[in-house]
Amino acid sequence: MMSTPVDIEVEPPRLKPAAQRPPVALGVQEALARTRFFPYWLDNPAEPPTEPKLSTDVEADLLIVGGGFTGLWAAVQAKEQMPHLNVVVIEAGQVAHGASGRAGGIISTSVMHGLPNAVRVFPNDIEQLEEFGQRNLDGFEETLARYGIDADIEWNGEMTVAVDPDHIEHLRGDYELHKRYGHDVVLLGREATREQLDSPLFAGALWSRNRSGIVHPAKLAWGLKRAALSLGVKIYEHTPLIEVADEGASVHVKTPHGSVRAPRVLFGSGTAKVGIPDINRRVLQVRDHVLATEPLTDEQLARIGWKNRQGIYDTRTQLNYFRLTKNNNIIFGGLVSYHFDGDPNPPQDEKAETYYRLAQAFYRTFPQLGDVRFSHAWGGPIDYCSRGSVFAKRYLNGKAVFVAGYTGFGVAASRFGAYMGLNILFDRKSPERALDIASLSPTYIPPEPVRWLAAKVTFHAFDGADAEGGWKRAWIKGIKAMGFPM
Ligand SMILES: Cc1cc2nc3c(=O)[nH]c(=O)nc-3n(C[C@H](O)[C@H](O)[C@H](O)COP(=O)(O)OP(=O)(O)OC[C@H]3O[C@@H](n4cnc5c(N)ncnc54)[C@H](O)[C@@H]3O)c2cc1C
């Protein structure tokens, strides 16, 4: 057993440039004064034309509700596997405008919200779950190549940085776990970490170098939309489900100006209310928030290094995650809130004050970038559930399946979620169906107002649980002990 972190210098240390004057630091108010409160990813002329609304009554072999990653992957896979099917997608707003076009865009190999979570939830099935993760990424890459989807992917790995020397012990445990399952990981000490990405906060890091990285999430969703259309899927945008009825042989879904009747329905609708109360007892919406900086100049980028451009998470209880875009904007996320009954459009998302604490966290992490402003800021829904990873559950006497619960890790796992959901819906034999991942569902989360109260206390405890300890740390431990991932 090692007693200190392994400093693996993947390259000889760079000579530090002669001491430069620190940039003049902007206050958070000034840094957010010209910010657009809209996802950076969606503010892009590459967005494909919006598909028309549904304005008549139609029939389908498979109806998919929701045009995010889950719904789009389900549409593409269903058509590839069963080309004769008439597949219809209805999307309440625009494709990718839910969580999918708001994500940080860090791609993980795991379908289980990471290996440590897999060990926590399904300790007996780790090997198979790891294999699903590998196969899922193979299929992910093959599909993108097949349809020529250019989503700015960079396979540079993901790195967890310890922001407290005490957290290194935790990283060492994760390092050994990843090694056991054959991952290409290195554990870095303070200097080696800062060679990768320079922050005075970083005390060490675990860098998983293979089969993970970063993607432009909206371009990915738009590419999947084009692929689905090319396969003959009919997509209706601005077409929300407003009522669902089980008619025995089929399901009848009403929308504002039409309806769809189908013998099979896949719900890829995240935390929205779609007329099946059991769903919202198992997933709840947590709002996460993200900032995008203006593109960094070469000189600004040189101040922090980051030549290997990994996707990064830190080890705080209230964690931050960050990555670069193709144009060298930094995407910096991680400030969660809860709104009573899962309000999908909280007005706070469009107020600069909501992002002050996130901006402060950015400047604490990168004081060298005190002169950098934020071009975009946005919030998005996280579909939180007790197992912290995707589940697929049957409803409406087996004619429907609901797929969600990624708890903030669905960019790649949504492909697997859709695959598992289709296998369950069409009752096909498949290896994952023999495991608990397909047959068990997450536990109930208490209803309102207990839910709101517990979320408020938990998020209050997040701020300071690491630094202050006391009741805050005890509360977080208690919630974890009840089986909820933190
Ligand atoms: C801020 C943020 C950062 C994230 N960062 C990462 C990350 O770095 N890496 C990672 O792996 N994951 C990340 N995630 C998680 C990831 O984005 C999600 O797991 C994934 O996008 C879920 O896809 P989905 O299709 O299930 O849900 P969504 O993309 O939310 O799609 C659901 C769709 O259903 C539609 N809908 C809802 N109700 C109805 C209705 N009644 N009728 C019709 N349509 C309806 C919605 O409009 C929406 O478009 C992040 C999420 C957020 C919010």
Side-chain angles (χ1 to χ4, degrees):
M1 178 99 171
M2 292 162 293
S3 59
T4 54
V6 186
D7 255 340
I8 299 178
E9 304 288 359
V10 291
E11 282 180 18
R14 283 170 299 139
L15 285 177
K16 289 251 178 327
Q20 290 164 342
R21 259 191 305 161
V24 180
L26 299 164
V28 290
Q29 264 167 296
E30 201 185 337
L32 284 156
R34 288 187 242 140
T35 303
R36 182 163 185 221
F37 298 105
F38 187 71
Y40 166 83
W41 307 116
L42 297 172
D43 191 2
N44 192 312
E47 179 159 14
T50 306
E51 293 298 302
K53 293 175 186 167
L54 176 66
S55 56
T56 53
D57 298 327
V58 297
E59 301 207 341
D61 299 317
L62 169 64
L63 169 66
I64 295 169
V65 180
F69 290 141
T70 302
L72 296 167
W73 277 116
V76 169
Q77 292 181 77
K79 267 312 241 188
E80 286 186 339
Q81 296 160 357
M82 299 166 280
H84 60 282
L85 286 192
N86 166 15
V87 179
V88 167
V89 176
I90 57 168
E91 162 53 48
Q94 277 167 263
V95 159
H97 282 238
S100 299
R102 295 164 184 270
I106 300 176
I107 308 173
S108 292
T109 323
S110 172
V111 292
M112 278 296 299
H113 198 158
L115 187 48
N117 187 53
V119 170
R120 177 184 78 89
V121 183
F122 298 125
N124 300 325
D125 297 337
I126 304 302
E127 264 156 42
Q128 293 96 320
L129 294 171
E130 282 285 284
E131 205 184 312
F132 296 150
Q134 297 291 338
R135 269 202 255 144
N136 182 52
L137 272 193
D138 289 343
F140 180 98
E141 286 192 75
E142 281 159 21
T143 309
L144 267 59
R146 191 155 55 246
Y147 296 100
I149 299 174
D150 177 6
D152 299 348
I153 294 193
E154 298 182 49
W155 295 108
N156 296 329
E158 52 187 333
M159 191 161 96
T160 309
V161 291
V163 289
D164 182 322
D166 288 350
H167 297 172
I168 289 173
E169 208 43 51
H170 175 77
L171 288 190
R172 195 192 313 283
D174 283 356
Y175 168 77
E176 279 156 15
L177 182 65
H178 282 85
K179 274 279 182 209
R180 203 176 315 143
Y181 288 98
H183 289 248
D184 174 16
V185 282
V186 287
L187 194 58
L188 307 177
R190 184 185 298 272
E191 281 310 306
T193 302
R194 293 184 63 172
E195 276 299 314
Q196 292 300 319
L197 176 59
D198 194 7
S199 163
L201 301 186
F202 298 167
L206 178 69
W207 179 14
S208 181
R209 294 187 289 195
N210 205 1
R211 308 225 71 191
S212 48
I214 51 176
V215 64
H216 187 306
K219 284 191 183 173
L220 171 60
W222 295 334
L224 291 171
K225 174 183 175 179
R226 287 194 184 95
L229 290 171
S230 75
L231 289 166
V233 173
K234 195 83 193 119
I235 300 179
Y236 297 100
E237 296 186 78
H238 296 296
T239 301
L241 168 156
I242 51 173
E243 208 181 299
V244 59
D246 182 354
E247 293 185 334
S250 58
V251 174
H252 188 211
V253 164
K254 286 195 184 147
T255 67
H257 307 289
S259 76
V260 189
R261 200 168 257 115
R264 291 190 178 86
V265 182
L266 186 143
F267 287 94
S269 40
T271 55
K273 292 197 174 120
V274 285
I276 304 177
D278 186 77
I279 290 174
N280 306 92
R281 295 187 187 121
R282 297 178 195 272
V283 282
L284 69 80
Q285 186 202 168
V286 172
R287 234 34 226 171
D288 196 12
H289 297 88
V290 186
L291 291 168
T293 67
E294 292 173 336
L296 301 191
T297 63
D298 290 348
E299 185 276 321
Q300 285 169 329
L301 189 57
R303 294 182 206 157
I304 55 168
W306 212 347
K307 54 192 177 309
N308 285 312
R309 304 172 62 86
Q310 305 92 333
I312 312 268
Y313 303 98
D314 72 25
T315 53
R316 279 190 199 87
T317 303
Q318 164 74 284
L319 78 89
N320 289 125
Y321 49 90
F322 25 104
R323 44 92 36 112
L324 289 166
T325 68
K326 192 178 172 189
N327 297 328
N328 291 334
N329 314 68
I330 296 180
I331 304 295
F332 191 90
L335 177 70
V336 284
S337 60
Y338 182 80
H339 302 270
F340 192 83
D341 210 16
D343 182 352
N345 257 324
Q348 288 89 333
D349 279 7
E350 304 212 348
K351 294 198 172 120
E353 304 85 75
T354 301
Y355 301 89
Y356 285 174
R357 274 179 32 229
L358 192 56
Q360 281 156 358
F362 175 87
Y363 292 127
R364 265 199 310 278
T365 310
F366 301 119
Q368 315 92 306
L369 299 180
D371 54 342
V372 169
R373 292 171 191 276
F374 302 105
S375 63
H376 294 76
W378 65 97
I382 301 279
D383 47 340
Y384 177 94
C385 74
S386 66
R387 80 191 207 190
S389 57
V390 62
F391 69 97
K393 185 164 169 49
R394 280 173 185 270
Y395 291 100
L396 306 177
N397 292 313
K399 290 187 286 297
V401 67
F402 172 79
V403 181
Y406 305 98
T407 316
F409 273 74
V411 167
S414 49
R415 182 186 173 280
F416 172 77
Y419 171 80
M420 175 166 70
L422 288 173
N423 286 336
I424 291 174
L425 189 59
F426 287 87
D427 201 13
R428 292 184 302 210
K429 259 193 159 177
S430 181
E432 82 287 353
R433 290 197 66 197
L435 302 182
D436 290 346
I437 189 171
S439 57
L440 299 181
S441 305
T443 53
Y444 278 167
I445 304 169
E448 301 294 8
V450 178
R451 192 180 273 208
W452 178 83
L453 203 63
K456 284 283 160 193
V457 178
T458 304
F459 293 156
H460 183 62
F462 272 0
D463 301 321
D466 298 328
E468 299 161 27
W471 77 266
K472 292 184 171 179
R473 192 170 292 170
W475 176 271
I476 301 282
K477 269 192 174 167
I479 299 277
K480 272 189 191 166
M482 283 159 62
F484 291 100
M486 287 287 118

